[in-house]
Amino acid sequence: YPVVHGNVTGGLQPFFMLHGSPLLRSHMAASLVLERPLSFLFSHHLRRDVPWDLSIETMVAEAMEHLRRVQPSGPYALGGYSAGAVVAVALAQQLEELGEVVKTVFLLDPSWETGLPTTGGPTGQARLRLQLRNAEVAAMNTARRQTQKHFSAAPGEAAQMKAVGLAYRAALLRHRPVPYAGRGCLLTTREGAQELEAAPWRRALWSGLTEVGLEASHAELQKDPDALAEWTLRLNQHLRDTDHA
């Protein structure tokens, strides 16, 4: 779970971004104009030994270890994109259980494909549909094993990204999120807004976050210059506001 430092200048509180994609890291490092140190906590996209039973809990434990090496104690400022946003929330909860202060979490269009929450959530047919969808985990793991067989014969970034993507989705569907009432900011794209409209109970998972809508798509957030400029501007402003709260 390597740590990549995108910016080491500035005397303000560091900001930690969780995501597995090297693409987002490279664009963020070139685009973010932060007044503080910036570190990216990576996971398994940079490794070939992705465990079959990859879980959000495992990723949180690995992130915690490396986070503490960079910043041994709080207060912390965390962020995450897509699946990384789910990991960021779980990491924030674990830090708070240990008595640490998490000043903010900045969630950039999080993945809503998780298992049922520990409390609340859909009922009746909606609950059944979600349970049936989560049964896709077994099929995805089968597909991932087929991809893994070709690694030694034809290693390549595309095959690795596909296999890790399947593992991430399986981990998300197995994960049962715990509602989080901490402070922060939630940025949603067009797709994210549609997910929330279809399942409004998901908003209760992160009731303490300020929600902001973006016109960009999920993919554009990590490669479109205008989308990058918009959300990085919001991130900088949010962190400034957090510093003075």
Side-chain angles (χ1 to χ4, degrees), residues 75-98:
Y76 292 100
L78 308 176
Y81 166 69
S82 194
V86 178
V87 180
V89 171
L91 176 60
Q93 290 171 317
Q94 195 165 115
L95 285 166
E96 290 177 347
E97 288 174 2
L98 294 173

Side-chain angles (χ1 to χ4, degrees), residues 145-175:
R145 287 187 177 91
Q146 295 300 317
T147 305
Q148 186 79 18
K149 289 179 181 179
H150 299 289
F151 272 9
S152 58
E157 184 177 350
Q160 173 71 356
M161 295 291 281
K162 180 179 180 181
V164 175
L166 288 167
Y168 265 49
R169 191 175 181 212
L172 285 166
L173 290 172
R174 285 194 299 267
H175 179 58

Side-chain angles (χ1 to χ4, degrees), residues 34-174:
L34 284 171
E35 303 147 342
R36 68 196 68 236
L38 168 66
S39 294
F40 300 93
L41 298 178
F42 278 89
S43 188
H44 300 87
H45 281 278
L46 303 184
R47 293 167 45 180
R48 292 198 174 277
D49 57 339
V50 185
W52 298 114
D53 58 348
L54 179 66
S55 67
I56 298 299
E57 292 72 24
T58 299
M59 288 187 267
V60 168
E62 293 178 347
M64 176 76 77
E65 177 184 352
H66 293 281
L67 175 79
R68 295 284 208 176
R69 291 180 184 175
V70 178
Q71 184 182 341
S73 60
Y76 292 100
L78 308 176
Y81 166 69
S82 194
V86 178
V87 180
V89 171
L91 176 60
Q93 290 171 317
Q94 195 165 115
L95 285 166
E96 290 177 347
E97 288 174 2
L98 294 173
E100 296 288 358
V101 174
V102 177
K103 291 191 71 173
T104 190
V105 291
F106 184 88
L107 307 185
L108 183 59
D109 206 38
S111 172
W112 298 105
E113 283 196 314
T114 63
L116 291 166
T118 55
T119 60
T123 59
Q125 290 186 350
R127 187 179 186 88
L128 179 59
R129 284 195 298 269
L130 186 56
Q131 289 173 319
L132 290 173
R133 189 202 66 185
N134 288 0
E136 295 177 8
V137 172
M140 285 188 296
N141 278 344
T142 299
R144 184 179 178 280
R145 287 187 177 91
Q146 295 300 317
T147 305
Q148 186 79 18
K149 289 179 181 179
H150 299 289
F151 272 9
S152 58
E157 184 177 350
Q160 173 71 356
M161 295 291 281
K162 180 179 180 181
V164 175
L166 288 167
Y168 265 49
R169 191 175 181 212
L172 285 166
L173 290 172
R174 285 194 299 267

Side-chain angles (χ1 to χ4, degrees), residues 109 112 188-198 203 211:
D109 206 38
W112 298 105
T188 58
T189 59
R190 297 188 298 267
E191 300 101 319
Q194 291 171 358
E195 288 274 358
L196 289 173
E197 287 298 322
R203 279 195 171 91
E211 185 179 335

